[in-house]
Amino acid sequence: MFNYTAPNDLLKERIILVTGAGDGIGRATALAYAKTGATVILLGRTEAKLDAVYDEIEAAGGAQPAIIPMDLDSATEPDYIELSNTLFDTFGRLDGVVHNAGVLGARTSIENYDPITWEKVMRINLTAPFIMTQTLLPLLRRSEDASIIFTSSGVGRKGRAYWGAYAVSKFATEGLMQTLADEIENEPNLRVNAINPGGTRTPMRAYAYPAEDPFKLPTPEEIQPAYLFLMGPDSKQVNGQSIDAQGDMSASQL
Ligand code: NAP
């Protein structure tokens, strides 16, 4: 596991948006950020799941979160502008974004891949984080220490048969992160990196590997050190990196 121990108040007074915050890794990330002091903006498509995470944060004594229901499949540019305006009016700035929401799409060959499904996967996994980042950059630039985290995958680094649009969207996510990182490299208060969670016990993983014993996999809570490190001030100098949440690396090596 990525080796980093976060201080209890790592994200005190930070305002952080997490997409896909209602379930799986996004839920655990939102809870971990709230536990270390952040005000978390919970964005996702199923409001009941976001409400449940909101209640958990409040019950644990965390700062009052915000909920933004948004379907990244159907959202258009005006929706992103409205999101940015709402965040500006409510908070005045943004200290971090975790682009976590994603879908698996079809597990089939490129030869047989349905183009409609292809476009849907690309829209949710790649185009939505692109437009959201573009729209939120002015708000992130109002922070003294802003961090953008994209979510990659092992199949986004080496192609694997039958992972289709999902694998291609994750390759492109790495490319988007690297391109943006190069563009902002002279901005000391802004950084962008990616995390490959590795096989993690979530609904998406269970869907991808129905025969696997989920109890052999780490939980979303267990992979949080990488998410905490890249969001907090200890990674202020880290830009353009793609790290493995379950890798052997330690924060001090970056
Ligand atoms: P998950 O359990 O399926 O959760 C995905 C989250 O994304 C859910 O909260 C889901 O909302 C949300 N989402 C999906 N489509 C959306 C849309 N159109 N609009 C808004 N929100 C949407 O998946 P996970 O395993 O936690 O995966 C999180 C990220 O890690 C993904 O980017 C995934 O590719 C990546 N990843 C996961 C693994 C793994 O082993 N789990 C490995 C490598 C990479 P609903 O709950 O409402 O559906």
Side-chain angles (χ1 to χ4, degrees):
M1 206 60 70
F2 183 81
N3 189 5
Y4 174 69
T5 305
N8 291 338
D9 62 349
L10 179 81
L11 301 176
K12 195 164 175 263
E13 284 167 15
R14 292 192 185 221
I15 297 150
I16 300 163
L17 173 69
V18 180
T19 74
D23 214 332
I25 295 167
R27 173 182 166 276
T29 303
L31 292 170
Y33 285 179
K35 196 176 170 195
T36 48
T39 297
V40 186
I41 300 148
L42 310 165
L43 187 148
R45 69 177 161 188
T46 309
E47 213 168 331
K49 291 186 181 180
L50 301 176
D51 287 343
V53 178
Y54 182 106
D55 290 345
E56 269 190 80
I57 290 172
E58 284 232 305
Q64 187 183 24
I67 289 183
I68 305 209
M70 191 163 169
D71 185 341
L72 301 176
D73 189 22
S74 54
T76 56
E77 207 182 344
D79 298 315
Y80 292 100
I81 292 168
E82 192 185 324
L83 166 69
S84 171
N85 289 341
T86 302
L87 297 182
F88 179 77
D89 292 344
T90 314
F91 301 108
R93 67 167 205 282
L94 196 57
D95 301 305
V97 183
V98 184
H99 293 295
N100 161 81
V103 289
L104 194 61
R107 294 288 313 282
T108 186
S109 66
I110 294 293
E111 188 172 14
N112 290 314
Y113 212 95
D114 167 35
I116 304 282
T117 307
W118 180 279
E119 288 195 348
K120 183 183 169 96
V121 173
M122 288 298 182
R123 201 160 42 243
I124 297 170
N125 293 5
L126 177 65
T127 310
F130 151 64
I131 304 180
M132 195 182 291
T133 302
Q134 189 181 58
T135 319
L136 294 178
L137 270 174
L139 266 183
L140 289 158
R141 288 201 170 102
R142 293 173 67 89
S143 166
E144 286 172 10
D145 181 21
S147 173
I148 304 168
I149 300 175
F150 286 98
T151 307
S152 183
S153 166
V155 297
R157 298 200 186 134
K158 186 172 191 320
R160 199 181 305 159
Y162 312 122
W163 282 78
Y166 179 84
V168 177
S169 74
K170 295 300 187 182
F171 267 91
T173 297
E174 296 262 359
L176 171 60
M177 180 278 288
Q178 288 181 21
T179 305
L180 179 60
D182 203 35
E183 288 168 4
I184 63 163
E185 74 163 353
N186 294 322
E187 296 189 50
N189 295 342
L190 183 60
R191 61 193 183 282
V192 55
N193 297 283
I195 295 177
N196 165 24
T200 308
R201 197 188 309 165
T202 69
M204 182 190 284
R205 176 78 187 191
Y207 185 73
Y209 293 91
E212 180 179 62
D213 176 2
F215 290 98
K216 292 194 168 144
L217 296 170
T219 63
E221 289 71 24
E222 286 170 316
I223 65 164
Q224 286 308 310
Y227 288 82
L228 287 162
F229 171 67
L230 279 185
M231 189 49 71
D234 293 327
S235 63
K236 187 150 185 168
Q237 312 301 329
V238 180
N239 183 44
Q241 302 296 311
S242 184
I243 70 172
D244 292 325
Q246 297 184 42
D248 290 335
M249 197 176 258
S250 120
S252 58
Q253 291 172 266
L254 280 160

